[in-house]
Amino acid sequence: MTEARGDLEAFAAELFDGFFRADQRRWGQAYVRGLLLDGRRKSVEPMAARLGEDGNRQALAHFITSSPWDPAHVRARLAWRMHEAIGPEALIVDDTGFLKDGDASACVSRQYTGTAGKVTNCQVGVSLHLAREQASAAVNWRLFVPASWDPASGQADAAKVARRGRCGIPAQVGHVEKRQLALDMIDETRSWGVDVPLVVADAGYGDAAAFRLGLEERSLPYAVGISCRHTAHPADARPVQPPYAGTGTTESAVPRPCADGERPGHRGLPGGCTAGFLAGRLPAGHGPKRLQAHVLAVRRPQGPARRTGPTQDHGRSRAA
């Protein structure tokens, strides 16, 4: 027990040893110890009760709410420590919903979350996790800002925009799509010197051509889920012009099947081809078990990329 406590205190000290102010180092370490000690509630008051002589509730609350410090410094040190301890085989991109009854918390809105499996009142956080079969750890994260909280958005809600100041949201922080938040965090994590062997994500990210293209531009291998209804074309597919029907102008002609039975628009692709259909054509044992639910889009380093639809704009410029 004593050895475990010593390891806990050493880890907490390592996270904050770059802070210049002694009071920030002390209460930062105390806060981390409070998070890692036994106890279900992780708010300041119950943690202070468990910390003994370091259980100054006012000092802990001041460190969290009012004392300025750079979170990237702490995240970088956490990522270095976890990379060494875990030996990750993948970087997992995911998001989590935090259910809320009221509307006072920052960026609370009615939105879909997998936590509840429906649209409900919640916050949503996007996170990166270093992982292998035996262990995983979150090393970077962002709070998603819905468009209704962004004064520059056409969907801005006046009541929510008015609460930005009370919630401490900086003026330069606006709505950015989750997929772009994930790419920004991947860039930041790599800038710390953390190696990304493989990016893994579900269809919430894999369905976005902009996200997959962003990974390809960064030369990162990935395995992401995509919905079975997502349109996909083999890498060797080539555009073809459907034959002229003989009525009206060529611009308004209704596409008809090619003479050889191929789908109009791409030679070498049979009609009605979705991602699920392509996966179903794989030899036995080479495709996912549940084709009706989802399939995988996989890209290895320097491998050929599949043809995809046009990329989408990711909203406002991201915050510093």
Side-chain angles (χ1 to χ4, degrees):
M1 184 67 177
T2 303
E3 183 180 352
R5 181 177 178 83
D7 291 342
L8 174 59
E9 291 180 352
F11 176 60
E14 180 183 340
L15 285 178
F16 297 96
D17 65 358
F19 283 19
F20 294 107
R21 290 172 48 183
D23 62 324
Q24 287 186 326
R25 292 197 299 272
R26 178 186 177 184
W27 296 115
Q29 294 167 20
Y31 183 76
V32 171
R33 290 200 305 273
L35 290 175
L36 297 180
L37 288 173
D38 292 337
R40 295 185 60 184
R41 296 186 60 197
K42 301 298 182 179
S43 53
V44 168
E45 188 169 350
M47 285 197 304
R50 295 192 293 267
L51 283 169
E53 61 181 15
D54 285 333
N56 187 322
R57 185 189 62 81
Q58 184 176 358
L60 289 172
H62 176 74
F63 172 76
I64 293 300
T65 60
S66 307
S67 180
W69 48 278
D70 183 8
H73 172 89
V74 178
R75 291 172 184 165
R77 289 184 172 271
L78 174 63
W80 296 338
R81 179 70 176 268
M82 293 299 100
H83 191 277
E84 178 182 354
I86 294 175
E89 297 175 343
L91 182 71
I92 300 175
V93 179
D94 201 2
D95 53 71
T96 303
F98 306 95
L99 306 185
K100 298 290 182 179
D101 293 327
D103 58 3
S105 299
C107 302
V108 167
S109 182
R110 286 192 59 81
Q111 52 193 322
Y112 177 81
T113 170
T115 304
K118 62 180 180 180
V119 174
T120 187
N121 202 55
C122 65
Q123 295 170 305
V124 172
V126 181
S127 56
L128 301 186
H129 307 254
L130 294 176
R132 63 178 300 124
E133 186 176 359
Q134 293 81 6
S136 67
V139 295
N140 212 338
W141 48 89
R142 294 285 188 278
L143 181 63
F144 173 67
V145 181
S148 57
W149 281 76
D150 186 351
S153 170
Q155 305 175 37
D157 183 299
K160 293 177 180 177
V161 170
R163 292 204 301 272
R164 286 175 58 99
R166 296 197 298 273
C167 293
I169 302 176
Q172 72 272 20
V173 175
H175 171 69
V176 178
E177 295 290 349
K178 297 174 188 175
R179 61 177 178 267
Q180 188 60 42
L181 289 178
L183 291 173
D184 291 344
M185 287 191 290
I186 289 173
D187 290 340
E188 182 179 42
T189 303
R190 296 177 75 193
S191 74
W192 300 334
V194 176
D195 180 47
V196 178
L198 173 71
V199 177
V200 178
D202 62 18
Y205 297 88
D207 274 351
F211 179 71
R212 301 194 307 274
L213 180 60
L215 296 178
E216 292 174 7
E217 290 173 343
R218 291 162 175 79
S219 300
L220 291 174
Y222 62 79
V224 297
I226 58 174
S227 65
C228 63
R229 295 179 298 275
H230 195 69
T231 303
H233 308 300
D236 59 352
R238 295 292 179 267
V240 296
Q241 176 66 37
Y244 178 48
T247 57
T249 63
T250 56
E251 290 80 5
S252 62
V254 178
R256 294 185 178 182
C258 299
D260 56 5
E262 294 176 344
R263 177 181 178 180
H266 288 88
R267 182 168 299 280
L269 181 65
C273 190
T274 62
F277 177 82
L278 281 176
R281 298 177 64 195
L282 293 174
H286 288 72
K289 295 180 180 180
R290 298 183 60 188
L291 294 179
Q292 71 278 13
H294 61 81
V295 294
L296 290 177
V298 180
R299 180 183 183 274
R300 298 179 179 85
Q302 300 179 352
R306 288 190 180 274
R307 297 167 62 91
T308 63
T311 59
Q312 304 172 13
D313 180 30
H314 55 72
R316 280 185 62 183
S317 60
R318 41 209 175 274

